[in-house]
Amino acid sequence: AQSVTQPDIHITVSEGASLELRCNYSYGATPYLFWYVQSPGQGLQLLLKYFSGDTLVQGIKGFEAEFKRSQSSFNLRKPSVHWSDAAEYFCAVSGGSNYKLTFGKGTLLTVNP
Amino acid sequence: NAGVTQTPKFQVLKTGQSMTLQCAQDMNHEYMSWYRQDPGMGLRLIHYSVGAGITDQGEVPNGYNVSRSTTEDFPLRLLSAAPSQTSVYFCASSYSGAEANIQYFGAGTRLSVL
């Protein structure tokens, strides 16, 4: 069965600092990987995805993520965090043809001024 | 183009009451799904559908029914609400094929069962 682990429940960074959110997945074949962001009281917005090819993927809002098969990881990064990035971030995995997304439990990001 | 529309946004039920959460999409997506979100649990798949007339169970289907009579609509039914079903419910839709993995979410329905 596929699964996702986000080791950090809550992260606090200062505005302008760099950010890395960790994600580890478990899946028997090549996974499809996603990062979603959820602002308070809102639905989920797709930040970026990895299907195949270049292991460093660029997303919206200046985010990027790197797929590392050897480490079963798909960490999300941003060089300089803005106050508007405060939100909850979810990593998700699917198996391609089965369409079922499995989510991690989320990482809540707080940005200090 | 409204995307994925969920109604109502908020609902309070008493234990044992029934209700239907509505989900509609106007993107002609084949794949639709329902998730529930609970604190510290992330999102968990309740039911999904790969097309009109085809539905299947996800990770947490007990207590919920679905049907898919049209491409556009995918309602979620609670036949006898229980306090354990207090949650935020999200509907999502996507195209078929590999793109089916890119799911678009509605704004959610916040449900409280007393």
Side-chain angles (χ1 to χ4, degrees):
Chain A
Q2 57 202 49
S3 66
V4 174
T5 301
Q6 293 180 246
D8 304 304
I9 296 173
H10 188 192
I11 285 182
T12 299
V13 299
S14 298
E15 190 169 16
S18 63
L19 172 70
E20 181 170 30
L21 301 182
R22 296 183 291 164
C23 172
N24 293 98
Y25 69 90
S26 174
Y27 186 70
T30 300
Y32 287 17
L33 293 160
F34 308 83
W35 276 99
Y36 283 87
V37 61
Q38 183 182 34
S39 297
Q42 302 298 311
L44 278 75
Q45 182 183 21
L46 180 67
L47 282 177
L48 47 77
K49 65 184 187 296
Y50 171 79
F51 281 9
S52 64
D54 192 346
T55 56
L56 183 64
V57 293
Q58 302 297 320
I60 62 172
K61 304 184 180 186
F63 285 92
E64 66 177 25
E66 186 171 12
F67 170 57
K68 294 185 177 180
R69 184 188 301 276
S70 61
Q71 299 178 19
S72 297
S73 69
F74 189 57
N75 294 348
L76 182 71
R77 301 193 294 249
K78 187 170 185 178
S80 178
V81 171
H82 188 263
W83 63 267
S84 61
D85 293 324
E88 191 159 21
Y89 292 79
F90 292 94
C91 181
V93 65
S94 74
S97 61
N98 70 21
Y99 308 148
K100 299 177 188 179
L101 275 178
T102 297
F103 286 85
K105 295 182 179 181
T107 297
L108 181 64
L109 174 66
T110 297
V111 181
N112 287 335
Chain B
N1 192 341
V4 180
T5 303
Q6 292 184 237
T7 56
K9 294 191 187 313
F10 302 94
Q11 183 71 49
V12 179
L13 292 178
K14 294 181 180 179
T15 298
Q17 286 185 316
S18 63
M19 80 159 295
T20 299
L21 280 63
Q22 301 292 343
C23 176
Q25 53 91 7
D26 61 359
M27 298 174 282
N28 202 30
H29 285 170
E30 296 184 8
Y31 182 79
M32 296 185 74
S33 54
W34 277 101
Y35 295 85
R36 60 176 290 173
Q37 182 180 27
D38 303 292
M41 299 294 291
L43 280 80
R44 293 179 291 169
L45 182 64
I46 304 172
H47 285 286
Y48 66 98
S49 168
V50 299
I54 307 170
T55 64
D56 205 348
Q57 296 181 351
E59 181 185 354
V60 288
N62 293 339
Y64 307 96
N65 283 345
V66 293
S67 60
R68 182 98 179 267
S69 57
T70 67
T71 299
E72 294 78 19
D73 300 299
F74 190 44
L76 178 72
R77 297 182 186 85
L78 286 70
L79 297 180
S80 179
S84 60
Q85 294 178 304
T86 293
S87 186
V88 181
Y89 292 85
F90 289 101
C91 179
S93 73
S94 62
Y95 293 106
S96 60
E99 294 297 310
N101 294 275
I102 304 174
Q103 297 186 26
Y104 299 88
F105 286 80
T109 294
R110 187 175 297 274
L111 176 67
S112 293
V113 182
L114 305 178

